[in-house]
C-alpha cells in the first residue's frame, strides 16, 4: 500500500514539475520576443505618448470584460453540447482548463485535444465527451469559414493585409490564403465525415494513409475516422435550434475574443478604423493556427506589432498594445490555469488511490 502511495506521490510531483515547465517555456518565449521587439523599437517618445487617461483605463477594463465574454461563450457552448448536464461552474472550469492547454501547447494542437479528458473527469462519459470535442472542433472551424468572407465584404480587401505592398504584406496574404483554403477543406471533411458519409470518409482516409509516405499518421487518422462516425451517430438527429444555439455560443466567444483588441484601440488609438481592427483579428487567428510555439508565444507579439503598426502612429505604440493584449488574453490564462490545474492533478491521483483501496 505504501509502495503504491509512494509511486503515486512521485508521479504527482513529476506531473506538477512538468506543468511548471510547460508554463515557463511559453512565458520565456513570449517575453523574450517582447524584449527583443522593445530593444528594436524602443523610442522614448513612444513611452512619453502613453497616457493612462480615463479613456485608456476604460479601454483596458472593456478588454477584460470582453475576455469574460469569451469565457461565458465557451461555457455556454459546453452547457448546450452536454444538454445542460454540466453545471455552469463545471463548464467554466473546463473552459479555463482548455484555454490553459491552448496556452502551453502549439496552436495547431489547441485546448480542444484534452477537453474530452476534462469533461470525463466532471462526469461526462468518455465516448460522449469525444463526440462533444469533435463538435467543438467543427463549430470553431465553421465560424471562420462563414465569417471571414463576410468581413471581406465589409472592409476594403486592398487594406486588409496592410496599406503597402511590402514583402511582409505579400507574404502574410499568401500564408493566410493557404491556411484558409486548408481550413475550408478541413471543415468540409469534418462535415462529410460527421453528417453525410462517415463510413465512406473513414474508409477513404484509411486507404489514403496506407500509402508509404503517409503511413506514420495512419493510427491517428484511424482514430479520427472512428470519432467522426461516433459523432455522426449522436448528432445527426439534433434539431436545427440546438445547432443554432451551439453556433451562437461559438460566435459569441470568438467575437468577444476579437473585440479585446478593439477595446484596446478605443483606449489608446481611438482614431483607428475599428472595423479594420476587427477584420484583422480574423487574419491574425488564422495565421496563428499553424504557430509552432506554445500558445503562439513570440509569433503573436511579433505579428501583432508588425501587422497593426500601420493603423497606429508606429510599431512602437503597436508593441505597447500587443503587450496589453497578451497580458489580458494569454498570460492571465496561464496564471488561472496554474492555480486550477495542480488541484485537478492532485484530485486525479487521490481518486486513483481511493479506487485501489
Amino acid at each position: 500500500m505504501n509502495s503504491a502511495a509512494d509511486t503515486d506521490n512521485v508521479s504527482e510531483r513529476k506531473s506538477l514539475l512538468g506543468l511548471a515547465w510547460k508554463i515557463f517555456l511559453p512565458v520565456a518565449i513570449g517575453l523574450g520576443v517582447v524584449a527583443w521587439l522593445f530593444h528594436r523599437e524602443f523610442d522614448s517618445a513612444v513611452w512619453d505618448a502613453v497616457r493612462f487617461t480615463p479613456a485608456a483605463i476604460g479601454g483596458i477594463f472593456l478588454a477584460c470584460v470582453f475576455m469574460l465574454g469569451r469565457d461565458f461563450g465557451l461555457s455556454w457552448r459546453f452547457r448546450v453540447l452536454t444538454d445542460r448536464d454540466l453545471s455552469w461552474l463545471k463548464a467554466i472550469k473546463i473552459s479555463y482548463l482548455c484555454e490553459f492547454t491552448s496556452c502551453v501547447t502549439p496552436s495547431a494542437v489547441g485546448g480542444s485535444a484534452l477537453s474530452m479528458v476534462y469533461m470525463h473527469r466532471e462526469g461526462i462519459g468518455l465516448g460522449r465527451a469525444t463526440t462533444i470535442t469533435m463538435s467543438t472542433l467543427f463549430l470553431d472551424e465553421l465560424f471562420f469559414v462563414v465569417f471571414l468572407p463576410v468581413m471581406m465584404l465589409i472592409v476594403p480587401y486592398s487594406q486588409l493585409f496592410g496599406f503597402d505592398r511590402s514583402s511582409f504584406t505579400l507574404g502574410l496574404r499568401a500564408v493566410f490564403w493557404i491556411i484558409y483554403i486548408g481550413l475550408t477543406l478541413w471543415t468540409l471533411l469534418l462535415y462529410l465525415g460527421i453528417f453525410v458519409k462517415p463510413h465512406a470518409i473513414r474508409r477513404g482516409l484509411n486507404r489514403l494513409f496506407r500509402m508509404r509516405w503517409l503511413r506514420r499518421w495512419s493510427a491517428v487518422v484511424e482514430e479520427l475516422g472512428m470519432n467522426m462516425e461516433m459523432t455522426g451517430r449522436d448528432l445527426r438527429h439534433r434539431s436545427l435550434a440546438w445547432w443554432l444555439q451551439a453556433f451562437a455560443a461559438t460566435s459569441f466567444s470568438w467575437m468577444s475574443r476579437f473585440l479585446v483588441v478593439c477595446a484596446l484601440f478605443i483606449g489608446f488609438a481611438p482614431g483607428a478604423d475599428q472595423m479594420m481592427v476587427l477584420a484583422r483579428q480574423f487574419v491574425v487567428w488564422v495565421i496563428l493556427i499553424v504557430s509552432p510555439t506554445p500558445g503562439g508565444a513570440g509569433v503573436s507579439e511579433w505579428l501583432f506589432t508588425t501587422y497593426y503598426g500601420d493603423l497606429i502612429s508606429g510599431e512602437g505604440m503597436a508593441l505597447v498594445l500587443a503587450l496589453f493584449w497578451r497580458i489580458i488574453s494569454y498570460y492571465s490564462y496561464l496564471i488561472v490555469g496554474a492555480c486550477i490545474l495542480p488541484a485537478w492533478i492532485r484530485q486525479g491521483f487521490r481518486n486513483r488511490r481511493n479506487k485501489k483501496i
Side-chain angles (χ1 to χ4, degrees), residues 81 130-142 185-202 205 223-238 242-243:
L81 294 178
T130 302
T131 296
I132 293 168
T133 299
M134 290 293 294
S135 304
T136 61
L137 178 63
F138 172 71
L139 288 166
D140 285 335
E141 315 301 21
L142 184 64
L185 293 175
W186 169 237
T187 306
L188 178 61
L189 178 66
L190 285 173
Y191 174 74
L192 294 174
I194 293 173
F195 300 104
V196 183
K197 294 284 186 181
H199 187 67
I201 294 295
R202 177 184 175 185
L205 286 173
E223 183 178 358
L224 172 65
M226 291 173 57
N227 289 340
M228 282 195 293
E229 278 200 75
M230 181 192 309
T231 302
R233 284 194 296 269
D234 183 66
L235 297 181
R236 276 194 292 271
H237 72 278
R238 294 290 186 174
W242 187 87
W243 278 108

Side-chain angles (χ1 to χ4, degrees), residues 328-351:
I328 294 169
S329 65
Y330 178 72
Y331 293 110
S332 61
Y333 287 96
L334 283 175
I335 295 171
V336 173
C339 295
I340 295 176
L341 204 57
W344 190 85
I345 291 173
R346 290 192 183 97
Q347 184 61 43
F349 282 103
R350 199 173 298 124
N351 292 342

Side-chain angles (χ1 to χ4, degrees), residues 32-303:
V33 171
V34 168
W36 173 71
L37 289 171
F38 269 123
H39 175 73
R40 191 187 70 173
E41 303 296 338
F42 180 78
D43 184 351
S44 58
V46 173
W47 296 108
D48 291 340
V50 176
R51 293 284 187 273
F52 286 97
T53 62
I57 295 173
I60 294 173
F61 175 77
L62 187 59
C64 294
V65 171
F66 281 133
M67 280 313 296
L68 292 176
R70 186 218 73 98
D71 300 330
F72 170 78
L74 281 186
S75 304
W76 175 22
R77 185 170 70 174
F78 278 123
R79 292 262 295 159
V80 172
L81 294 178
T82 60
D83 298 315
R84 308 305 195 275
D85 288 342
L86 281 177
S87 67
W88 275 107
L89 183 60
K90 289 183 177 180
I92 292 170
K93 181 180 177 182
I94 292 171
S95 170
Y96 278 119
L97 287 171
C98 288
E99 189 64 19
F100 174 77
T101 305
S102 297
C103 290
V104 298
T105 56
S107 299
V109 177
S112 299
L114 284 178
S115 63
M116 64 184 75
V117 179
Y118 300 141
M119 284 186 281
H120 183 55
R121 176 71 66 82
E122 299 300 334
I124 303 298
L126 193 56
R128 187 182 177 201
T130 302
T131 296
I132 293 168
T133 299
M134 290 293 294
S135 304
T136 61
L137 178 63
F138 172 71
L139 288 166
D140 285 335
E141 315 301 21
L142 184 64
F143 169 80
F144 281 94
V145 171
V146 169
F147 277 97
L148 265 167
V150 175
M151 295 306 300
M152 288 183 180
L153 291 173
I154 296 174
V155 302
Y157 179 78
S158 59
Q159 300 173 13
L160 180 60
F161 298 96
F163 289 91
D164 56 24
R165 295 188 61 81
S166 64
S167 57
F168 169 80
T169 298
L170 296 176
L172 183 72
R173 183 182 303 173
V175 171
F176 166 81
W177 280 115
I178 291 171
I179 298 173
Y180 180 69
I181 291 171
L183 186 66
T184 303
L185 293 175
W186 169 237
T187 306
L188 178 61
L189 178 66
L190 285 173
Y191 174 74
L192 294 174
I194 293 173
F195 300 104
V196 183
K197 294 284 186 181
H199 187 67
I201 294 295
R202 177 184 175 185
R203 188 169 60 246
L205 286 173
N206 288 340
R207 286 178 180 174
L208 177 64
F209 279 81
R210 286 196 192 106
M211 301 173 72
R212 184 162 54 87
W213 56 87
L214 297 175
R215 201 171 296 156
R216 70 177 70 178
W217 295 289
S218 60
V220 175
V221 169
E222 169 64 20
E223 183 178 358
L224 172 65
M226 291 173 57
N227 289 340
M228 282 195 293
E229 278 200 75
M230 181 192 309
T231 302
R233 284 194 296 269
D234 183 66
L235 297 181
R236 276 194 292 271
H237 72 278
R238 294 290 186 174
S239 67
L240 178 61
W242 187 87
W243 278 108
L244 288 176
Q245 191 175 5
F247 188 68
T250 301
S251 303
F252 186 90
S253 176
W254 277 107
M255 291 301 292
S256 295
R257 184 194 292 265
F258 294 166
L259 288 171
V260 169
V261 176
C262 293
L264 292 175
F265 269 81
I266 289 172
F268 290 91
D273 183 343
Q274 285 294 321
M275 190 56 69
M276 184 63 69
V277 173
L278 177 62
R280 289 191 180 189
Q281 272 292 282
F282 282 85
V283 177
V284 166
W285 283 97
V286 167
I287 299 295
L288 289 179
I289 287 174
V290 297
S291 172
T293 59
V299 178
S300 299
E301 291 83 357
W302 170 79
L303 180 60

